[in-house]
């Protein structure tokens, strides 16, 4: 026996995302913006009136760009701290980035793409272009939550956070730590910066250095580099950063007090 025809069931996609429902208020971060001149930029390349300083470390010329963080946010370190860290690391790395940028993420970016920092192979901050390490402001007193069900990679990252100085307490569902100036400083200055230098060293070794590049042709070497799994590139950066940090700790160079 046939069921009674119900007109409200004539399209199973009604009221779902397949029919466009709730897509107009999608909170995804736009891939890029265009300014009044039509120039495109990625969201992490947009800084609000940053202070700009040109510095020399060893034989390298760098641009440091500092966007003032919002009230209640902190980078955990200053441009002077970054300058000292790079000065300590310069003899252990093949090169340094062209730009160090301190940026304040929006609330939406902080919720959907939370990072301590990132390495960008080629960034464009107006007239300043080149490889960049971008440090992101963190909200003080915010809760850092870590699931009790960890993958191997998650467990390794959890151990790194504990080593950075984050004090976790166990709750019913997860581990929680409250962000503070010291714990943010431990992660960004004494780990993230060195980790991003690892990405730069990896790229230099496999693409820029003719002796160790993946191919004689630069374009092909670059293509092969990015064809590698991201997990492999992350593993190299983690290993490089941890070995560099251990070497600096053994020399008594880090940790060091805030620089003025």
């Amino acid at each position: 026996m046939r069921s009674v025809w119900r007109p409200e069931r004539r399209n199973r996609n009604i009221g779902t995302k397949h029919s466009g429902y709730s897509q107009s208020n999608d909170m995804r971060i736009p891939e890029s913006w265009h300014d009044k001149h039509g120039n495109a930029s990625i969201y992490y390349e947009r800084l609000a009136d940053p202070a700009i300083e040109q510095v020399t470390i060893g034989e390298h010329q760098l641009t440091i760009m500092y966007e003032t963080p919002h009230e209640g946010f902190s980078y955990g370190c200053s441009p002077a701290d970054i300058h000292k860290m790079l000065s300590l690391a310069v003899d252990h790395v093949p090169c340094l980035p062209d730009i160090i940028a301190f940026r304040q993420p929006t609330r939406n970016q902080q919720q959907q793409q939370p990072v301590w920092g990132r390495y960008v192979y080629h960034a464009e901050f107006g007239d300043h272009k080149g490889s960049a390490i971008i440090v992101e402001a963190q909200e003080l007193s915010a809760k850092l939550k870590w699931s009790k069900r960890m993958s191997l990679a998650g467990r390794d990252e959890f151990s790194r956070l504990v080593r950075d100085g984050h004090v976790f307490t166990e709750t019913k569902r997860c581990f929680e730590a409250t962000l503070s100036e010291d714990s943010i400083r431990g992660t960004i200055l004494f780990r993230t910066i060195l980790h991003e230098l690892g990405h730069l060293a990896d790229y230099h070794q496999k693409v820029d250095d003719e002796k160790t590049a993946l191919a004689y042709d630069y374009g092909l070497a670059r293509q092969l580099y990015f064809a590698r799994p991201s997990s492999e590139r992350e593993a190299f950066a983690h290993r490089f950063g941890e070995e560099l940090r251990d070497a600096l700790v053994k020399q008594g160079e880090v940790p060091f007090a805030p620089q003025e």
Side-chain angles (χ1 to χ4, degrees):
M1 181 177 178
R2 295 181 62 183
S3 60
V4 177
W5 178 67
R6 297 174 59 184
E8 73 273 15
R9 294 293 300 276
R10 65 185 181 275
N11 188 340
R12 293 183 180 181
N13 291 330
I14 290 177
T16 70
K17 286 192 174 182
H18 292 290
S19 65
Y21 175 77
S22 191
Q23 291 192 6
S24 62
N25 61 350
D26 196 342
M27 294 294 290
R28 289 177 298 177
I29 302 171
E31 289 294 327
S32 64
W33 282 268
H34 288 80
D35 60 21
K36 62 182 180 180
H37 303 294
N39 298 317
S41 63
I42 302 175
Y43 71 92
Y44 51 72
E45 295 176 339
R46 297 172 68 89
L47 304 179
D49 192 25
I52 300 175
E53 179 184 5
Q54 304 293 334
V55 301
T56 301
I57 300 177
E59 299 179 352
H60 306 275
Q61 301 290 327
L62 287 82
T63 300
I64 298 180
M65 311 180 73
Y66 185 87
E67 180 180 12
T68 303
H70 295 168
E71 184 177 356
F73 284 76
S74 174
Y75 297 113
C77 56
S78 66
D81 288 322
I82 298 293
H83 187 285
K84 178 168 182 177
M85 176 57 76
L86 295 179
S87 297
L88 295 173
V90 68
D91 292 333
H92 301 268
V93 297
C95 57
L96 293 178
D98 300 308
I99 300 168
I100 300 291
F102 292 77
R103 75 176 294 269
Q104 169 67 56
T106 65
R107 184 72 62 180
N108 186 25
Q109 293 164 5
Q110 186 186 32
Q111 291 175 350
Q112 297 194 33
Q113 296 286 345
V115 296
W116 302 102
R118 53 168 52 87
Y119 176 69
V120 182
Y121 298 92
H122 182 80
E124 296 186 9
F125 298 90
D127 295 333
H128 303 282
K129 303 176 182 180
S131 59
I133 293 178
I134 303 175
V135 174
E136 299 220 343
Q138 308 296 317
E139 186 174 10
L140 294 168
S141 300
K143 296 293 185 181
L144 179 60
K145 297 183 179 181
W146 212 259
S147 173
K148 290 183 178 180
R149 302 180 63 180
M150 303 181 198
S151 62
L152 291 176
R155 188 172 297 279
D156 289 342
E157 180 63 16
F158 182 77
S159 298
R160 295 185 193 102
L161 291 169
V162 172
R163 183 184 181 186
D164 293 340
H166 297 274
V167 180
F168 285 90
T169 57
E170 186 175 357
T171 68
K172 187 175 182 179
R173 293 183 175 83
C174 64
F175 295 101
E176 284 188 359
T178 301
L179 296 184
S180 65
E181 286 278 4
D182 289 340
S183 62
I184 294 172
R185 179 181 178 83
T187 297
I188 290 181
L189 182 61
F190 299 125
R191 179 161 68 91
T192 300
I193 293 296
L194 303 182
H195 174 90
E196 307 308 342
L197 287 177
H199 281 301
L200 176 56
D202 189 27
Y203 185 83
H204 182 273
Q205 179 187 96
K206 295 178 173 62
V207 179
D208 290 333
D209 191 336
E210 296 180 355
K211 297 180 180 178
T212 57
L214 296 174
Y216 289 111
D217 179 74
Y218 176 82
L220 179 58
R222 181 179 170 84
Q223 182 179 350
L224 292 173
Y225 175 84
F226 286 110
R228 298 159 61 215
S230 59
S231 58
E232 183 178 326
R233 285 179 272 148
E234 285 298 317
F236 182 99
H238 280 308
R239 183 170 60 254
F240 184 94
E242 289 171 1
E243 291 176 355
L244 178 52
R245 174 173 170 168
D246 290 343
L248 294 176
V249 168
K250 187 175 181 179
Q251 295 172 9
E253 301 288 358
V254 299
F256 52 82
Q259 305 295 294
E260 296 183 359

